[in-house]
Amino acid sequence: MPRVRRRTRTAALAAALALLTTGTIAMSQSATAGVTSLAAPAASSLYVDPTTQAHAAWAAAAGRDKDLLAKIALTPQSYWVGGWADAARSRDEVADYTGRAAAAGQTGVLTVYAIPGRDCGNHSGGGVPQSEYARWVDTVATGIEGSPIVVLEPDALAQLGDCDGQGNRVGYLRYAAAALTDAGARVYLDAGHSGWLGASEAARRLELIGFTDAVGFALNTSNYQTTADTQAYAEQVSSQVGGRPYVIDTSRNGNGSNRQWCNPRGRALGERPRLVDDATSLDALLWVKLPGESDGACNGGPAAGQWWQEIALELAANAHW
């Protein structure tokens, strides 16, 4: 897909702010009827990162535990960057990860998770200050090498307006999509999951951001909805945003959802990640959430993002492969 023209960042953000202020948010002209699933990235496969917590746990394990943890450690997963690290460090991490993926001739997957008011202060609360978000994104974008897939700001659209401290969230997302696309990424706007927003509402919120820069949208990040249910929902959403393509997080959806979202028990690893080129608008199945990393201090788990071997082994043992 051709690279979008570069633009002055301050001008892009000012334009987004102006549109929101005047209430004249326009639908993206590129989201027109007849758009089908776009060509998958040129790299031959998704990149397996040997620096994950799962990989370290697998290397240290033995016997059956090692066999089970191999299912996680040796499977391509996303690399997350967010407000827990300053912009310079995040840029360096992105450069290291995407550089390794590009050198291997493979496609990396990044998740950008730094939006102001992130997670409305819940288990994954945080984000960078409103005044720093554009600068943070610009700095991180300079670290991108190759053409990684980027899942942009999980839950940001699904939680739009749900809490204070979000600032101009629509403007921030537009700006980030432009900056990351200009740097070479294939950006997918996160739109929650099939058990959250109705398809029409998800489509409406996606159109607030538009697809001038983003390729498509992402669903089921860190959630448990089945692939079949998610794809049926995704096709409904896609039909309302000009046939735009989408990606699905299958990392922990092997047993579907029990309507809990924070470290539910009895779940299973889902289908292995792969790039897709078929008659649907599905671009890829991905592992966006890293299985075995806690959702937060709930259901006996440690803080969000910390390794929890007990649940990692459970997810792997319950996998249908």
Side-chain angles (χ1 to χ4, degrees):
M1 182 176 180
R3 292 274 291 276
V4 175
R5 66 191 185 283
R6 292 192 172 274
R7 79 286 312 276
T8 303
R9 295 280 167 249
T10 49
L13 185 57
L17 288 167
L19 282 170
L20 190 66
T21 302
T22 60
T24 56
I25 297 173
M27 304 267 278
S28 168
Q29 293 186 6
S30 61
T32 55
V35 175
T36 56
S37 185
L38 304 183
S44 61
S45 60
L46 298 169
Y47 178 65
V48 176
D49 182 9
T51 71
T52 63
Q53 294 183 88
H55 202 280
W58 167 71
R64 174 169 167 75
D65 284 1
K66 193 175 188 74
D67 291 340
L68 289 173
L69 292 174
K71 292 185 177 185
I72 302 175
L74 304 183
T75 298
Q77 299 165 53
S78 181
Y79 191 97
W80 290 58
V81 288
W84 50 85
D86 63 29
R89 178 178 173 184
S90 297
R91 175 200 59 215
D92 292 345
E93 291 179 3
V94 167
D96 175 63
Y97 171 77
T98 60
R100 285 185 279 117
Q106 297 176 320
T107 300
V109 180
L110 287 170
T111 301
V112 173
Y113 195 45
I115 199 80
R118 189 181 68 204
D119 199 30
C120 286
N122 291 320
H123 292 293
S124 296
V128 301
Q130 295 176 29
S131 61
E132 296 296 319
Y133 185 70
R135 185 178 297 109
W136 186 92
V137 168
D138 277 345
T139 302
V140 169
T142 64
I144 290 177
E145 297 188 28
S147 299
I149 291 169
V150 171
V151 175
L152 182 58
E153 299 295 359
D155 298 343
L157 272 182
Q159 291 181 332
L160 184 65
D162 285 356
C163 57
D164 295 333
Q166 295 186 355
N168 179 12
R169 179 161 286 190
V170 168
Y172 299 147
L173 290 170
R174 285 180 175 175
Y175 187 86
L180 295 164
T181 298
D182 281 359
R186 290 175 54 85
V187 176
Y188 295 81
L189 304 167
D190 189 89
H193 58 76
S194 58
W196 197 334
L197 302 174
S200 294
E201 178 61 15
R204 185 189 72 80
R205 296 189 188 194
L206 285 167
E207 289 288 16
L208 294 177
I209 314 305
F211 296 97
T212 299
D213 298 291
V215 170
F217 58 97
L219 293 172
N220 205 45
T221 299
S222 298
N223 209 264
Y224 301 86
Q225 310 299 317
T226 66
T227 301
D229 286 350
T230 302
Q231 187 163 11
Y233 170 81
E235 289 292 321
Q236 293 179 46
V237 176
S238 178
S239 71
Q240 297 179 59
V241 292
R244 284 288 160 176
Y246 55 86
V247 296
I248 297 173
D249 183 359
T250 63
S251 56
R252 304 182 299 180
N253 72 349
N255 281 346
S257 172
N258 65 354
R259 299 188 179 183
Q260 296 181 25
W261 65 268
C262 196
N263 297 324
R265 306 309 295 256
R267 303 307 94 201
L269 299 177
E271 190 172 345
R272 294 178 180 91
R274 59 185 174 87
L275 303 176
V276 175
D277 184 12
D278 60 15
T280 71
S281 294
L282 176 64
D283 265 1
L285 302 178
L286 303 174
W287 281 14
V288 182
K289 171 67 178 181
L290 280 66
E293 294 190 3
S294 177
D295 291 319
C298 50
N299 280 343
Q306 291 189 13
W307 180 252
W308 188 12
Q309 185 129 322
E310 177 185 339
I311 208 163
L313 292 169
E314 180 178 298
L315 287 165
N318 290 343
H320 304 292
W321 49 272

